Amino acid sequence: MPATGKLARSTTALDVARVLKDRILAGHYTEDEFIRQELIAQELGVSRIPVREALALLEAEGLVIREKFRGAVVPRLSLEEIEEIYSLRGLLEPYLLKEAIERVTPEIIGQLDAIVARSRETADKTEWAGLNVDFHRTLYETADRPIALQMLDKLLVRADRYLKMQRFLSTQTQQESDAEHLRILECIKRGDKQGALDSLGQHIQWNAVDVRRTIGLER
């Protein structure tokens, strides 16, 4: 376990979550390894309360699973989960884009441009993963399909762990993903609906392949 030293007295759950998240994404905890609250609290020099709250935050991101009476465990990376996530995204996202594309306003185009620009500049993997989600959600919100969007939100939460790990292990992932977002956006600006749908399909397919390759889960 890497030594990080004591955290400041003003430490919050977010600070502890940041430390633990970096460790998980860097592979410092093995799959099925339990993260003991008391050990983390002692190591970081904090009470168990922010540690417990941090683990709840990480569970919401899919980075740990909390088991009653046993603690939080780092879940196994699952090829089957990846394939199901991206298969469902391949169904939902083109549907949402078809419904949204006619309603995309110049204001939304400006928002998407800003997201892509920030995404290409940031070196922070957590910020980049958030901007990746922002691009997709901003694009689809105009579809006025709340049930489909809610379903997609759940998929994006499940995919977040793999997405951050992709970015942690490969800067090329960020460059390619941002370039593909830009291609989708350029098609929308030209009014090329089919081109946007084709580019989106290629993006989702590429992402599924890249996540398997990057984290070593290829068949």
Side-chain angles (χ1 to χ4, degrees):
M1 181 179 296
T4 61
K6 307 291 185 184
L7 294 178
R9 287 187 178 275
S10 60
T11 294
T12 66
L14 291 175
D15 297 315
V16 178
R18 172 182 51 79
V19 172
L20 295 178
K21 181 185 296 186
D22 286 344
R23 291 181 182 181
I24 292 169
L25 294 176
H28 290 301
Y29 297 114
T30 60
E31 294 176 1
D32 293 335
E33 179 177 350
F34 280 90
I35 301 175
R36 302 297 180 185
Q37 291 184 30
E38 61 275 11
L39 294 180
I40 297 299
Q42 182 179 14
E43 180 189 354
L44 299 181
V46 300
S47 73
R48 292 178 63 175
I49 294 174
V51 177
R52 183 169 63 249
E53 293 173 349
L55 291 172
L57 293 172
L58 295 179
E59 183 178 40
E61 294 189 31
L63 292 174
V64 301
I65 296 172
R66 291 187 297 170
E67 297 185 4
K68 194 172 184 179
F69 305 124
R70 299 192 68 192
V73 64
V74 179
R76 287 183 175 274
L77 299 173
S78 169
L79 178 60
E80 289 73 20
E81 182 179 46
I82 291 170
E83 291 180 341
E84 186 170 6
I85 287 170
Y86 285 98
S87 292
L88 289 171
R89 285 187 63 180
L91 295 172
L92 271 175
E93 293 194 49
Y95 166 73
L96 283 165
L97 182 57
K98 284 179 184 177
E99 297 298 321
I101 199 165
E102 302 293 344
R103 308 179 189 186
V104 173
T105 64
E107 181 182 4
I108 293 170
I109 293 291
Q111 292 173 11
L112 292 168
D113 273 328
I115 290 169
V116 172
R118 287 170 54 202
S119 183
R120 297 177 78 180
E121 292 172 359
T122 186
D124 184 294
K125 58 185 175 294
T126 300
E127 181 184 15
W128 176 77
L131 289 167
N132 181 83
V133 172
D134 287 347
F135 178 85
H136 288 269
R137 285 203 97 267
T138 300
L139 182 56
Y140 304 141
E141 279 175 350
T142 59
D144 194 27
R145 293 293 183 269
I147 296 174
L149 194 58
Q150 186 179 52
M151 293 171 66
L152 179 62
D153 281 341
K154 292 180 179 179
L155 288 174
L156 293 175
V157 168
R158 296 294 292 267
D160 189 61
R161 171 168 69 121
Y162 298 104
L163 183 66
K164 289 190 176 80
M165 195 166 291
Q166 276 179 280
R167 172 58 185 86
F168 188 90
L169 296 171
S170 172
T171 55
Q172 186 177 352
T173 290
Q174 177 174 350
Q175 295 165 0
E176 179 60 29
S177 182
D178 289 339
E180 294 190 357
H181 283 177
L182 189 58
R183 281 195 288 272
I184 295 168
L185 185 53
E186 290 301 320
C187 287
I188 293 171
K189 288 178 180 179
R190 294 195 304 267
D192 183 1
K193 182 176 180 179
Q194 189 57 51
L197 288 167
D198 290 343
S199 295
L200 174 63
Q202 291 164 12
H203 173 58
I204 294 171
Q205 185 177 33
W206 165 81
N207 215 331
V209 171
D210 186 67
V211 68
R212 293 197 301 266
R213 177 189 60 79
T214 305
I215 63 180
L217 288 178
E218 292 181 302
R219 289 195 183 278

